[in-house]
Short mmCIF file of all heavy atoms in Angstrom, two decimals:
data_model
loop_
_atom_site.label_atom_id
_atom_site.label_comp_id
_atom_site.label_asym_id
_atom_site.label_seq_id
_atom_site.Cartn_x
_atom_site.Cartn_y
_atom_site.Cartn_z
N MET A 13 61.96 190.61 44.64
CA MET A 13 62.28 191.98 44.92
C MET A 13 60.94 192.74 45.30
O MET A 13 59.96 192.53 44.60
CB MET A 13 62.87 192.61 43.72
CG MET A 13 63.25 194.08 43.86
SD MET A 13 64.16 194.63 42.36
CE MET A 13 64.42 196.18 42.71
N THR A 14 61.00 193.48 46.28
CA THR A 14 59.81 194.17 46.79
C THR A 14 59.79 195.61 46.20
O THR A 14 60.84 196.32 46.28
CB THR A 14 59.72 194.24 48.28
OG1 THR A 14 59.67 192.90 48.77
CG2 THR A 14 58.47 194.99 48.72
N ASP A 15 58.73 196.01 45.70
CA ASP A 15 58.57 197.44 45.26
C ASP A 15 58.18 198.30 46.46
O ASP A 15 57.01 198.36 46.85
CB ASP A 15 57.48 197.45 44.17
CG ASP A 15 57.24 198.94 43.67
OD1 ASP A 15 57.93 199.83 44.17
OD2 ASP A 15 56.34 199.10 42.88
N HIS A 16 59.19 198.94 47.08
CA HIS A 16 58.92 199.73 48.31
C HIS A 16 58.10 200.94 48.01
O HIS A 16 57.56 201.55 48.91
CB HIS A 16 60.27 200.08 48.94
CG HIS A 16 61.08 198.94 49.33
ND1 HIS A 16 60.67 198.15 50.40
CD2 HIS A 16 62.20 198.28 48.85
CE1 HIS A 16 61.52 197.15 50.64
NE2 HIS A 16 62.45 197.23 49.66
N ASN A 17 58.00 201.39 46.75
CA ASN A 17 57.30 202.56 46.39
C ASN A 17 55.79 202.23 46.02
O ASN A 17 55.04 203.15 45.77
CB ASN A 17 57.90 203.30 45.15
CG ASN A 17 59.21 203.95 45.53
OD1 ASN A 17 59.39 204.47 46.59
ND2 ASN A 17 60.14 203.84 44.57
N GLN A 18 55.52 200.97 46.12
CA GLN A 18 54.19 200.52 45.56
C GLN A 18 53.08 201.15 46.36
O GLN A 18 51.99 201.44 45.84
CB GLN A 18 54.11 198.95 45.77
CG GLN A 18 52.82 198.36 45.24
CD GLN A 18 52.93 196.88 45.36
OE1 GLN A 18 53.93 196.23 45.71
NE2 GLN A 18 51.84 196.22 45.01
N ASN A 19 53.22 201.38 47.61
CA ASN A 19 52.13 201.91 48.48
C ASN A 19 52.05 203.48 48.55
O ASN A 19 51.21 204.03 49.12
CB ASN A 19 52.18 201.39 49.88
CG ASN A 19 51.96 199.91 49.86
OD1 ASN A 19 51.16 199.37 49.08
ND2 ASN A 19 52.65 199.19 50.72
N ILE A 20 53.01 204.09 47.89
CA ILE A 20 52.98 205.54 47.81
C ILE A 20 52.04 205.96 46.72
O ILE A 20 52.19 205.51 45.57
CB ILE A 20 54.44 206.09 47.50
CG1 ILE A 20 55.44 205.68 48.59
CG2 ILE A 20 54.42 207.63 47.38
CD1 ILE A 20 56.84 206.04 48.29
N PRO A 21 51.10 206.89 47.01
CA PRO A 21 50.15 207.25 45.95
C PRO A 21 50.95 207.91 44.83
O PRO A 21 51.92 208.62 45.05
CB PRO A 21 49.28 208.34 46.61
CG PRO A 21 49.42 208.01 48.06
CD PRO A 21 50.78 207.40 48.27
N LEU A 22 50.60 207.55 43.64
CA LEU A 22 51.33 208.11 42.48
C LEU A 22 51.39 209.62 42.44
O LEU A 22 52.43 210.09 42.11
CB LEU A 22 50.68 207.59 41.14
CG LEU A 22 50.72 206.10 40.88
CD1 LEU A 22 49.98 205.80 39.59
CD2 LEU A 22 52.16 205.60 40.79
N ARG A 23 50.36 210.29 42.77
CA ARG A 23 50.37 211.73 42.83
C ARG A 23 51.26 212.28 43.89
O ARG A 23 51.70 213.46 43.81
CB ARG A 23 48.95 212.26 43.03
CG ARG A 23 47.96 211.89 41.93
CD ARG A 23 48.14 212.72 40.73
NE ARG A 23 47.24 212.33 39.74
CZ ARG A 23 47.40 212.39 38.40
NH1 ARG A 23 48.59 212.79 37.96
NH2 ARG A 23 46.53 211.97 37.58
N GLY A 24 51.58 211.49 44.96
CA GLY A 24 52.40 211.98 46.03
C GLY A 24 53.88 211.80 45.80
O GLY A 24 54.68 212.27 46.59
N ARG A 25 54.27 211.29 44.71
CA ARG A 25 55.70 211.03 44.41
C ARG A 25 56.29 212.31 43.72
O ARG A 25 55.64 212.98 43.04
CB ARG A 25 55.84 209.84 43.50
CG ARG A 25 55.37 208.56 44.16
CD ARG A 25 55.44 207.43 43.22
NE ARG A 25 55.01 206.23 43.86
CZ ARG A 25 54.83 205.08 43.26
NH1 ARG A 25 55.14 204.95 42.03
NH2 ARG A 25 54.30 204.04 43.93
N ARG A 26 57.53 212.49 44.04
CA ARG A 26 58.27 213.61 43.42
C ARG A 26 58.58 213.31 42.08
O ARG A 26 58.88 212.10 41.67
CB ARG A 26 59.53 213.98 44.26
CG ARG A 26 59.13 214.38 45.65
CD ARG A 26 60.43 214.74 46.39
NE ARG A 26 60.04 215.01 47.79
CZ ARG A 26 60.84 215.54 48.66
NH1 ARG A 26 62.03 215.73 48.32
NH2 ARG A 26 60.40 215.76 49.91
N ALA A 27 58.69 214.30 41.22
CA ALA A 27 59.06 214.15 39.81
C ALA A 27 60.37 213.44 39.62
O ALA A 27 60.59 212.77 38.58
CB ALA A 27 59.05 215.52 39.10
N SER A 28 61.30 213.59 40.54
CA SER A 28 62.56 213.01 40.36
C SER A 28 62.60 211.51 40.68
O SER A 28 63.58 210.82 40.35
CB SER A 28 63.62 213.75 41.23
OG SER A 28 63.29 213.59 42.61
N HIS A 29 61.60 210.96 41.34
CA HIS A 29 61.54 209.62 41.72
C HIS A 29 61.26 208.76 40.47
O HIS A 29 60.71 209.29 39.46
CB HIS A 29 60.49 209.31 42.66
CG HIS A 29 60.70 209.87 44.10
ND1 HIS A 29 59.73 209.97 45.03
CD2 HIS A 29 61.81 210.34 44.62
CE1 HIS A 29 60.26 210.46 46.08
NE2 HIS A 29 61.54 210.74 45.92
N GLU A 30 61.69 207.55 40.52
CA GLU A 30 61.51 206.63 39.34
C GLU A 30 61.02 205.30 39.95
O GLU A 30 61.51 204.81 40.95
CB GLU A 30 62.84 206.50 38.59
CG GLU A 30 62.74 205.52 37.46
CD GLU A 30 64.05 205.43 36.72
OE1 GLU A 30 64.33 206.30 35.85
OE2 GLU A 30 64.88 204.56 37.03
N HIS A 31 60.05 204.67 39.24
CA HIS A 31 59.60 203.45 39.60
C HIS A 31 60.67 202.36 39.28
O HIS A 31 61.22 202.42 38.21
CB HIS A 31 58.30 203.10 38.90
CG HIS A 31 57.60 201.85 39.44
ND1 HIS A 31 57.99 200.58 39.17
CD2 HIS A 31 56.47 201.81 40.19
CE1 HIS A 31 57.20 199.76 39.79
NE2 HIS A 31 56.30 200.43 40.43
N PRO A 32 60.95 201.44 40.26
CA PRO A 32 62.09 200.56 39.94
C PRO A 32 61.90 199.60 38.83
O PRO A 32 62.80 199.08 38.20
CB PRO A 32 62.20 199.79 41.27
CG PRO A 32 60.92 200.02 42.01
CD PRO A 32 60.38 201.31 41.55
N GLN A 33 60.64 199.33 38.44
CA GLN A 33 60.28 198.44 37.38
C GLN A 33 60.08 199.08 36.06
O GLN A 33 60.01 198.47 34.99
CB GLN A 33 59.12 197.51 37.69
CG GLN A 33 59.43 196.57 38.90
CD GLN A 33 58.20 195.83 39.30
OE1 GLN A 33 57.06 196.26 39.03
NE2 GLN A 33 58.38 194.68 39.94
N PHE A 34 59.83 200.41 36.11
CA PHE A 34 59.47 201.13 34.90
C PHE A 34 60.33 202.34 34.78
O PHE A 34 59.99 203.50 35.20
CB PHE A 34 57.99 201.58 34.86
CG PHE A 34 57.17 200.39 35.15
CD1 PHE A 34 56.46 200.17 36.36
CD2 PHE A 34 56.90 199.42 34.10
CE1 PHE A 34 55.62 199.06 36.53
CE2 PHE A 34 56.04 198.39 34.34
CZ PHE A 34 55.44 198.12 35.56
N PRO A 35 61.59 202.25 34.21
CA PRO A 35 62.44 203.34 34.14
C PRO A 35 62.06 204.50 33.27
O PRO A 35 61.32 204.26 32.28
CB PRO A 35 63.78 202.70 33.63
CG PRO A 35 63.49 201.39 33.10
CD PRO A 35 62.08 201.02 33.67
N ARG A 36 62.43 205.67 33.69
CA ARG A 36 62.07 206.85 32.89
C ARG A 36 62.61 206.82 31.43
O ARG A 36 61.98 207.27 30.58
CB ARG A 36 62.66 208.08 33.57
CG ARG A 36 61.84 208.58 34.73
CD ARG A 36 62.40 209.88 35.32
NE ARG A 36 61.63 210.22 36.48
CZ ARG A 36 60.45 210.85 36.48
NH1 ARG A 36 59.99 211.26 35.33
NH2 ARG A 36 59.81 211.14 37.57
N GLN A 37 63.70 206.11 31.26
CA GLN A 37 64.18 205.94 29.94
C GLN A 37 63.25 205.25 29.08
O GLN A 37 63.12 205.57 27.91
CB GLN A 37 65.56 205.21 29.99
CG GLN A 37 66.26 205.09 28.65
CD GLN A 37 67.61 204.40 28.77
OE1 GLN A 37 68.03 203.97 29.80
NE2 GLN A 37 68.25 204.19 27.63
N ASP A 38 62.59 204.23 29.55
CA ASP A 38 61.55 203.50 28.75
C ASP A 38 60.40 204.48 28.34
O ASP A 38 59.94 204.48 27.19
CB ASP A 38 61.02 202.31 29.52
CG ASP A 38 62.02 201.23 29.67
OD1 ASP A 38 63.09 201.27 29.04
OD2 ASP A 38 61.72 200.20 30.38
N TRP A 39 59.97 205.24 29.39
CA TRP A 39 58.92 206.21 29.13
C TRP A 39 59.32 207.22 28.04
O TRP A 39 58.64 207.58 27.14
CB TRP A 39 58.52 206.89 30.37
CG TRP A 39 57.70 208.09 30.19
CD1 TRP A 39 56.34 208.16 29.84
CD2 TRP A 39 58.13 209.48 30.25
NE1 TRP A 39 55.94 209.48 29.73
CE2 TRP A 39 57.01 210.33 29.97
CE3 TRP A 39 59.35 210.10 30.49
CZ2 TRP A 39 57.10 211.71 29.92
CZ3 TRP A 39 59.40 211.46 30.54
CH2 TRP A 39 58.29 212.21 30.22
N GLN A 40 60.56 207.63 28.24
CA GLN A 40 61.07 208.77 27.25
C GLN A 40 61.10 208.21 25.79
O GLN A 40 60.78 208.92 24.94
CB GLN A 40 62.49 209.22 27.65
CG GLN A 40 62.47 210.12 28.90
CD GLN A 40 63.83 210.42 29.45
OE1 GLN A 40 64.80 209.73 29.19
NE2 GLN A 40 63.94 211.47 30.19
N LEU A 41 61.53 206.95 25.64
CA LEU A 41 61.53 206.33 24.33
C LEU A 41 60.14 206.33 23.70
O LEU A 41 59.91 206.62 22.56
CB LEU A 41 62.14 204.97 24.35
CG LEU A 41 63.65 204.91 24.54
CD1 LEU A 41 64.06 203.43 24.76
CD2 LEU A 41 64.32 205.50 23.34
N GLU A 42 59.16 205.95 24.57
CA GLU A 42 57.71 205.85 24.06
C GLU A 42 57.28 207.22 23.73
O GLU A 42 56.59 207.41 22.69
CB GLU A 42 56.88 205.14 25.10
CG GLU A 42 57.08 203.63 25.13
CD GLU A 42 55.87 202.95 25.82
OE1 GLU A 42 54.74 203.54 25.84
OE2 GLU A 42 56.04 201.83 26.25
N TYR A 43 57.63 208.20 24.54
CA TYR A 43 57.19 209.55 24.38
C TYR A 43 57.78 210.13 23.10
O TYR A 43 57.05 210.70 22.23
CB TYR A 43 57.54 210.39 25.61
CG TYR A 43 56.83 211.75 25.59
CD1 TYR A 43 55.59 211.93 26.14
CD2 TYR A 43 57.46 212.91 24.96
CE1 TYR A 43 54.98 213.11 26.15
CE2 TYR A 43 56.84 214.08 24.98
CZ TYR A 43 55.56 214.25 25.59
OH TYR A 43 54.95 215.43 25.57
N GLN A 44 59.07 209.96 22.91
CA GLN A 44 59.76 210.49 21.70
C GLN A 44 59.22 209.77 20.47
O GLN A 44 59.22 210.43 19.39
CB GLN A 44 61.22 210.31 21.86
CG GLN A 44 61.84 211.21 22.91
CD GLN A 44 63.30 210.83 23.26
OE1 GLN A 44 63.81 209.88 22.84
NE2 GLN A 44 63.95 211.66 24.05
N ASN A 45 58.80 208.55 20.56
CA ASN A 45 58.33 207.81 19.37
C ASN A 45 56.85 208.14 19.13
O ASN A 45 56.29 207.69 18.14
CB ASN A 45 58.51 206.27 19.61
CG ASN A 45 59.93 205.90 19.43
OD1 ASN A 45 60.78 206.51 18.82
ND2 ASN A 45 60.24 204.82 20.10
N GLY A 46 56.20 208.88 19.96
CA GLY A 46 54.81 209.19 19.80
C GLY A 46 53.87 208.11 20.27
O GLY A 46 52.72 208.12 19.97
N ASP A 47 54.42 207.14 21.00
CA ASP A 47 53.65 206.03 21.46
C ASP A 47 52.78 206.34 22.70
O ASP A 47 51.89 205.60 23.12
CB ASP A 47 54.45 204.75 21.72
CG ASP A 47 55.11 204.26 20.50
OD1 ASP A 47 54.47 204.42 19.39
OD2 ASP A 47 56.19 203.70 20.60
N THR A 48 53.18 207.43 23.40
CA THR A 48 52.34 207.88 24.58
C THR A 48 52.49 209.44 24.64
O THR A 48 53.53 210.01 24.18
CB THR A 48 52.89 207.27 25.91
OG1 THR A 48 51.91 207.59 26.87
CG2 THR A 48 54.27 207.70 26.26
N ARG A 49 51.54 210.03 25.24
CA ARG A 49 51.61 211.44 25.54
C ARG A 49 51.31 211.70 27.00
O ARG A 49 51.15 212.76 27.49
CB ARG A 49 50.58 212.29 24.66
CG ARG A 49 51.00 212.38 23.29
CD ARG A 49 52.21 213.26 23.18
NE ARG A 49 52.76 213.20 21.81
CZ ARG A 49 54.03 213.07 21.56
NH1 ARG A 49 54.94 213.02 22.44
NH2 ARG A 49 54.42 213.08 20.30
N LEU A 50 51.34 210.61 27.77
CA LEU A 50 51.12 210.63 29.21
C LEU A 50 52.34 211.14 29.89
O LEU A 50 53.48 210.95 29.43
CB LEU A 50 50.79 209.19 29.72
CG LEU A 50 49.56 208.59 29.24
CD1 LEU A 50 49.51 207.10 29.67
CD2 LEU A 50 48.33 209.30 29.72
N ALA A 51 52.16 211.78 31.03
CA ALA A 51 53.23 212.22 31.95
C ALA A 51 53.75 210.89 32.49
O ALA A 51 53.14 209.84 32.53
CB ALA A 51 52.68 213.07 33.04
N TYR A 52 55.03 210.92 33.03
CA TYR A 52 55.73 209.74 33.45
C TYR A 52 54.87 208.96 34.44
O TYR A 52 54.63 207.74 34.16
CB TYR A 52 57.08 210.09 34.13
CG TYR A 52 57.69 208.96 34.70
CD1 TYR A 52 58.23 207.89 33.94
CD2 TYR A 52 57.76 208.77 36.08
CE1 TYR A 52 58.83 206.79 34.48
CE2 TYR A 52 58.35 207.67 36.68
CZ TYR A 52 58.93 206.64 35.83
OH TYR A 52 59.52 205.54 36.40
N TRP A 53 54.41 209.53 35.53
CA TRP A 53 53.68 208.66 36.59
C TRP A 53 52.30 208.18 36.06
O TRP A 53 51.85 207.13 36.47
CB TRP A 53 53.55 209.47 37.88
CG TRP A 53 54.86 209.47 38.62
CD1 TRP A 53 55.68 210.52 38.80
CD2 TRP A 53 55.53 208.32 39.21
NE1 TRP A 53 56.82 210.17 39.46
CE2 TRP A 53 56.78 208.83 39.72
CE3 TRP A 53 55.25 206.95 39.31
CZ2 TRP A 53 57.62 207.95 40.38
CZ3 TRP A 53 56.16 206.20 39.90
CH2 TRP A 53 57.33 206.70 40.41
N ASP A 54 51.69 208.96 35.09
CA ASP A 54 50.48 208.40 34.54
C ASP A 54 50.73 207.26 33.62
O ASP A 54 50.01 206.26 33.64
CB ASP A 54 49.80 209.52 33.68
CG ASP A 54 49.23 210.65 34.64
OD1 ASP A 54 48.84 210.41 35.78
OD2 ASP A 54 49.21 211.76 34.14
N TRP A 55 51.90 207.31 32.94
CA TRP A 55 52.38 206.20 32.14
C TRP A 55 52.65 204.97 33.01
O TRP A 55 52.29 203.85 32.61
CB TRP A 55 53.58 206.63 31.33
CG TRP A 55 54.18 205.51 30.50
CD1 TRP A 55 53.85 205.05 29.27
CD2 TRP A 55 55.44 204.75 30.88
NE1 TRP A 55 54.74 204.06 28.90
CE2 TRP A 55 55.67 203.89 29.88
CE3 TRP A 55 56.26 204.80 31.97
CZ2 TRP A 55 56.75 202.95 29.89
CZ3 TRP A 55 57.30 203.96 32.03
CH2 TRP A 55 57.55 203.02 30.99
N VAL A 56 53.34 205.21 34.09
CA VAL A 56 53.65 204.04 35.04
C VAL A 56 52.34 203.41 35.45
O VAL A 56 52.24 202.21 35.46
CB VAL A 56 54.41 204.49 36.21
CG1 VAL A 56 54.49 203.46 37.37
CG2 VAL A 56 55.81 204.93 35.84
N ALA A 57 51.34 204.18 35.81
CA ALA A 57 50.04 203.65 36.27
C ALA A 57 49.41 202.79 35.17
O ALA A 57 48.87 201.69 35.38
CB ALA A 57 49.11 204.73 36.74
N LYS A 58 49.44 203.28 33.97
CA LYS A 58 48.86 202.64 32.77
C LYS A 58 49.68 201.28 32.56
O LYS A 58 49.01 200.25 32.33
CB LYS A 58 48.93 203.45 31.59
CG LYS A 58 48.42 202.79 30.29
CD LYS A 58 48.61 203.74 29.10
CE LYS A 58 48.35 203.06 27.84
NZ LYS A 58 49.47 202.52 27.19
N VAL A 59 50.95 201.33 32.55
CA VAL A 59 51.79 200.11 32.27
C VAL A 59 51.53 199.09 33.39
O VAL A 59 51.41 197.93 33.17
CB VAL A 59 53.20 200.45 32.05
CG1 VAL A 59 54.12 199.26 31.88
CG2 VAL A 59 53.33 201.31 30.81
N ARG A 60 51.50 199.60 34.66
CA ARG A 60 51.30 198.65 35.76
C ARG A 60 49.91 197.89 35.66
O ARG A 60 49.82 196.74 35.79
CB ARG A 60 51.30 199.41 37.09
CG ARG A 60 52.72 199.76 37.56
CD ARG A 60 52.76 200.54 38.81
NE ARG A 60 52.35 199.64 39.92
CZ ARG A 60 52.24 200.00 41.18
NH1 ARG A 60 52.35 201.26 41.48
NH2 ARG A 60 51.92 199.19 42.12
N GLU A 61 48.90 198.73 35.23
CA GLU A 61 47.57 198.09 35.04
C GLU A 61 47.58 197.08 33.88
O GLU A 61 47.00 196.01 34.03
CB GLU A 61 46.53 199.17 34.82
CG GLU A 61 45.14 198.66 34.67
CD GLU A 61 44.68 197.88 35.93
OE1 GLU A 61 45.00 198.25 37.04
OE2 GLU A 61 43.88 196.87 35.73
N GLU A 62 48.23 197.43 32.88
CA GLU A 62 48.40 196.52 31.67
C GLU A 62 49.08 195.24 32.05
O GLU A 62 48.73 194.16 31.70
CB GLU A 62 49.06 197.20 30.48
CG GLU A 62 48.16 198.23 29.83
CD GLU A 62 48.96 198.98 28.82
OE1 GLU A 62 50.20 198.88 28.61
OE2 GLU A 62 48.36 199.85 28.11
N THR A 63 50.17 195.39 32.81
CA THR A 63 51.02 194.26 33.30
C THR A 63 50.14 193.32 34.13
O THR A 63 50.21 192.17 34.06
CB THR A 63 52.21 194.74 33.98
OG1 THR A 63 53.00 195.55 33.09
CG2 THR A 63 53.14 193.57 34.43
N ARG A 64 49.43 194.02 35.12
CA ARG A 64 48.55 193.18 36.00
C ARG A 64 47.49 192.49 35.25
O ARG A 64 47.21 191.30 35.55
CB ARG A 64 47.99 194.19 37.01
CG ARG A 64 47.30 193.61 38.18
CD ARG A 64 46.84 194.56 39.15
NE ARG A 64 47.32 195.91 38.78
CZ ARG A 64 47.52 196.93 39.60
NH1 ARG A 64 47.29 196.78 40.82
NH2 ARG A 64 48.03 198.08 39.21
N SER A 65 46.92 193.12 34.18
CA SER A 65 45.93 192.46 33.35
C SER A 65 46.45 191.28 32.61
O SER A 65 45.81 190.24 32.57
CB SER A 65 45.31 193.51 32.46
OG SER A 65 44.33 192.89 31.66
N LEU A 66 47.67 191.40 32.10
CA LEU A 66 48.33 190.34 31.38
C LEU A 66 48.59 189.13 32.24
O LEU A 66 48.37 188.01 31.90
CB LEU A 66 49.60 190.77 30.73
CG LEU A 66 49.42 191.77 29.51
CD1 LEU A 66 50.87 192.20 29.08
CD2 LEU A 66 48.79 191.08 28.31
N ARG A 67 49.04 189.42 33.52
CA ARG A 67 49.28 188.40 34.44
C ARG A 67 48.02 187.57 34.81
O ARG A 67 48.01 186.42 34.89
CB ARG A 67 49.97 188.86 35.71
CG ARG A 67 51.36 189.30 35.51
CD ARG A 67 52.02 189.73 36.84
NE ARG A 67 53.29 190.39 36.62
CZ ARG A 67 53.77 191.33 37.38
NH1 ARG A 67 53.17 191.65 38.47
NH2 ARG A 67 54.94 191.83 37.13
N HIS A 68 46.94 188.40 34.93
CA HIS A 68 45.68 187.76 35.30
C HIS A 68 45.17 186.82 34.25
O HIS A 68 44.74 185.68 34.52
CB HIS A 68 44.66 188.86 35.57
CG HIS A 68 43.25 188.39 35.80
ND1 HIS A 68 42.90 187.71 36.96
CD2 HIS A 68 42.13 188.33 35.00
CE1 HIS A 68 41.61 187.36 36.88
NE2 HIS A 68 41.13 187.73 35.69
N HIS A 69 45.28 187.27 32.99
CA HIS A 69 44.82 186.46 31.85
C HIS A 69 45.72 185.27 31.63
O HIS A 69 45.25 184.26 31.20
CB HIS A 69 44.65 187.26 30.59
CG HIS A 69 43.52 188.28 30.70
ND1 HIS A 69 42.21 187.86 30.86
CD2 HIS A 69 43.51 189.64 30.68
CE1 HIS A 69 41.43 188.97 30.90
NE2 HIS A 69 42.15 190.07 30.88
N ALA A 70 46.98 185.46 31.85
CA ALA A 70 47.94 184.31 31.61
C ALA A 70 47.69 183.23 32.68
O ALA A 70 47.90 182.04 32.38
CB ALA A 70 49.39 184.84 31.80
N GLY A 71 47.27 183.60 33.83
CA GLY A 71 47.03 182.59 34.92
C GLY A 71 45.62 181.90 34.84
O GLY A 71 45.39 180.99 35.50
N ALA A 72 44.83 182.45 33.89
CA ALA A 72 43.40 181.86 33.81
C ALA A 72 43.43 180.55 33.16
O ALA A 72 44.25 180.06 32.48
CB ALA A 72 42.55 182.88 33.05
#
């Protein structure tokens, strides 16, 4: 599956958009639990970076 939104700058996305791999519902749960205070798209950027880092280390 290709992430068609991958090349859209995070800041250029509308608030109503949702990343296909990181649903707003997941972010809302983390926010409500106090696990993050990041805005949705900032949270997506953080989780994407963490996921990329985990993949890198798993392949090493």
Side-chain angles (χ1 to χ4, degrees):
M13 181 174 179
T14 301
D15 177 3
H16 297 289
N17 291 324
Q18 184 175 354
N19 295 324
I20 301 172
L22 293 179
R23 298 282 182 212
R25 297 178 183 174
R26 295 181 187 190
S28 62
H29 291 165
E30 178 177 277
H31 191 284
Q33 295 176 335
F34 306 106
R36 284 184 182 274
Q37 184 177 0
D38 291 354
W39 165 77
Q40 287 173 336
L41 287 173
E42 285 198 22
Y43 192 88
Q44 290 169 352
N45 289 335
D47 296 329
T48 189
R49 288 294 170 222
L50 297 172
Y52 174 71
W53 285 110
D54 293 331
W55 174 81
V56 167
K58 177 182 172 266
V59 174
R60 285 178 71 184
E61 182 59 36
E62 289 173 354
T63 302
R64 194 175 349 208
S65 179
L66 288 173
R67 287 184 191 154
H68 174 74
H69 290 297

